[in-house]
Amino acid sequence: MSQTIPVEQLKSLTMSIYRYDPSVDEKPYMQDIVIEVPTDKDIMVLDALHLAKDQEPSLSYRRSCREGVCGSDGMNINGKNGLACVTPLSEVVKRNKLTIRPMPGLPVVRDLIVDMKQFFDQLEKVKPYLITNSDNPEIERTQSPEEREELDGLYECILCGCCSTSCPSFWWNPDKFLGPAALLQSWRFIADSRDEATEERLDALEDSFSLYRCHGIMNCVSVCPKGLNPTEAISNIRNKLINREK
Amino acid sequence: MLVNEIINAKDLPVMEFDGIIVGGGGAGMRASLQLAESGLNTAVISKVFPTRSHTVSAQGGITCAIQSDDPDDDWRWHMFDTVKGSDYIGDQEAIEYMCSEGPKAVFELEHMGLPFSRTEEGRIYQRPFGGQSKDYGKGGQATRTCAAADRTGHSLLHTLYQANLKAGTNFLNEWLAVDMVLNTDGAVVGVIAFKIETGEIYYIKSKATVLATGGAGRIYASTTNALINTGDGIGMALRAGIPVQDIEMWQFHPTGIHGAGTLVTEGCRGEGGYLLNKDGERFMERYAPNSKDLASRDVVARSMALEILEGRGCGQNADHIFLRLDHLGPEVVHKRLPGITELSKTFAGVDPAVQPIPVVPTCHYMMGGIPTNINGQVITVKEGKDEVIEGLYAAGEVACVSVHGGNRLGGNSLLDLVVFGRAAGIYIEESMKQGVDLKDASHDDIDKALERLNKLNASSEGEQVTVLKERMQQNMQNNFGVFRTKDLMEKGIQDLSKVRGEVENMHLKDKSATFNTARIEALEMQNLFEVAEATAITANNRKESRGAHSRDDYPDRDDDNWLKHSIYFSETKEVSKRDVNCRPKTVQAFQPTVRSY
């Protein structure tokens, strides 16, 4: 990008980026990389990372769709989790500096890439798929527009991990507390009029950790790049648990 | 054994499965689901976590005659539209299969839990899309595209991932397949792949290998495609001596956001949006008096490009077109097109409920690919005759079965990938029951598939990946775009042939085995380059204008000479012709006629 823009329309930006390659580095360090960004238009943090990678090809991060729908590039941008590809520099650069770290709470594989295993293990525990016992009809199952509307704000989750890795309860108990992303998915299926396993799903959450470790801190809500509300989903499950007949 | 060592077949560990699927997008996961549910030991090898695959970006829907909006809808009308849309080089047997099996495949997705939008009757919501008609083009616009708001691809991909979890599919997530292993009979018996996180490398042995690696839009500088769309399957096939078909046919989607390239669904126009030039004119009325903004994509993209070329583009530089939606009211825009609202705000700084979205035709879809039959079996051509490659299958965008021919209709890609992912799975399941007997690969066979990796690891000098990539992308953008001319194409081909040596001898500076994205990008670049060169040579070779391929020296369709598929082998760089299938099983073939909308 920098080659095609006249010099007078560029300004320098210092990116401070978390670097760690366990096969080379004894310990992680922060590396300053100065990039040239356009003055007349906003670019995304991901574009800035590409410019940094042009200088330092060994810099590693995940990316795919570059439009906020695949969930690859969740990272910690100036202290807050977000997706690099839909976060404009104008929103996050402070005093001409941009600090990028991996999402907190999960083991770092290399640079900005974290090991998502615990995150996905917790997701699988909620059986994130439709469960039915009745026979499938010849055509689709019917669902009213109102019933379908119950899934809005739930099915859009992109599994980026921004929420769970900003949640102190998940940091403490990533193996026992399911975390906001998994619980949002749990509610997505409980709320689905077509699902026939509500009781089974609720039973699996009846312990002191899986769900009840949520303390309503709401970091998940404030960081979700899709504007979803896991805290609300958790409280919906909580109500369902309290109100069901034993 | 690690990916950054000198790797040889003798010491290479082996992993074995009944069936492997390379690629975790819609086609791959539909195929794997079929295999896993039939009890076969199945693995998906995906270079990204499956829900990061590009299927996730599909927006508008999946076109299928499920008779929800219109109880009288007929899959044969859908077939007619698809044949016409393909500009008559789509294979009619394959199109017949897709359109008639489609409803089954779509209902299955619903049964798996796909959160389709709904009608008042509780059925799946359908919207009008481009190129759709009732009664074989005689009954006006049809409403045939099944949608989950404007997040249909996301919903479909996540649903398939969920269904695969339920079925117990093995996922090798963030593993990169490098090349295929062929035995001395020329059958495919697995792939070389490594775990990106650790660099552990294996020969993954299998009796059935399904390529489902998606498209390669990243050969162009401006594309709606994800950064991962690098034509890995095409590269693997061409290097293994397997041809590609109709690879000159690239779809330019009418509405990519100007500057960013991100997609704005055709569903916007399906819901009633329209295009405007700088004079505020609905110019599509001039180019396609009947279908207007819902003419097929090649027609709309060309019309837009002409408006811009003739000075009627919008904005300071007169270099884009406006897509107007505000007249639909915020209710429709926010409810039916929530994803578009989000993308427009992020990438164009406009709220489509208030202001028009600036758009330009943008590279979107690869109609060509690895030739297959309707069972997903890969086909090569020997002395003018089709021949099946044993052990190898392809489905989805990487394949050319061919249901899209010269131009794909909107909503047909999601249908293609579920129908033919499923079909490949069903065929493999059946053939495994009959018993598959393929000769084991020798060390020599395996070493051949390791050559590329070893060479890259040994590199100590050479050009950087990013420099070569930018040069190729600019070349393709400038010389093989919406309009093509002989001189520019020849110039483009020349430049590619100069670059080939550098691409084969790139320098990989970072030799780390741990999540080394520089190594991945280098391997991807070599795949992209194979696609680019195949595109360039076949485009220059097709001396007519058809579908998405439009050239000024041959402005007309030439059915006498070119109602044919192009077949391209990279070893010889030669292009030959292959007959289009005009033998549907249950209906009369549709004959080529003048194509107007």
Side-chain angles (χ1 to χ4, degrees), chain A residues 53 62 66 110 139 141, chain B residues 118 174 223 510 514 517:
Chain A
K53 191 172 169 67
R62 293 186 177 103
R66 62 81 174 85
R110 175 175 171 171
I139 59 170
R141 284 193 201 79
Chain B
R118 298 288 173 155
E174 298 188 323
T223 173
D510 180 2
T514 310
T517 52

Side-chain angles (χ1 to χ4, degrees), chain A residues 28-40:
Chain A
Y29 62 99
M30 298 300 288
Q31 181 187 18
D32 279 358
I33 301 178
V34 180
I35 59 166
E36 300 293 312
V37 298
T39 52
D40 62 332

Side-chain angles (χ1 to χ4, degrees), chain B residues 229-356:
Chain B
N229 285 25
T230 54
D232 299 344
I234 302 280
M236 283 189 251
L238 286 172
R239 280 190 297 275
I242 294 160
V244 289
Q245 175 170 280
D246 298 339
I247 198 80
E248 68 274 27
M249 296 298 183
W250 280 88
Q251 177 160 85
F252 285 76
H253 194 291
T255 54
I257 293 180
H258 176 243
T262 44
L263 173 70
V264 176
T265 175
E266 187 169 305
C268 291
R269 283 170 284 137
E271 296 288 346
Y274 50 78
L275 298 164
L276 295 171
N277 63 18
K278 76 166 172 124
D279 304 322
E281 185 204 3
R282 279 192 70 176
F283 58 87
M284 280 313 299
E285 292 177 340
R286 267 189 281 124
Y287 296 95
N290 295 315
S291 303
K292 302 182 182 116
D293 297 86
L294 286 178
S296 75
R297 287 179 179 170
D298 56 336
V299 174
V300 180
R302 265 194 297 277
S303 309
M304 291 168 72
L306 270 177
E307 288 298 299
I308 293 169
L309 283 174
E310 290 173 2
R312 291 188 294 279
C314 304
Q316 219 173 13
N317 301 322
D319 58 357
H320 57 269
I321 295 293
F322 279 139
L323 171 62
R324 188 179 172 200
L325 296 173
D326 62 289
H327 60 290
L328 303 176
E331 173 72 5
V332 170
V333 174
H334 294 147
K335 189 153 189 157
R336 296 289 182 211
L337 305 164
I340 288 313
T341 304
E342 207 180 308
L343 283 170
S344 303
K345 285 180 181 167
T346 307
F347 289 101
V350 303
D351 178 354
V354 183
Q355 294 157 281

Side-chain angles (χ1 to χ4, degrees), chain B residues 496-516:
Chain B
L496 286 171
S497 72
K498 276 188 223 152
V499 176
R500 175 172 271 281
E502 294 186 62
V503 171
E504 283 172 1
N505 296 290
M506 275 182 300
H507 181 203
L508 177 67
K509 201 172 139 206
D510 180 2
K511 300 286 202 297
S512 170
T514 310
F515 220 117
N516 185 342

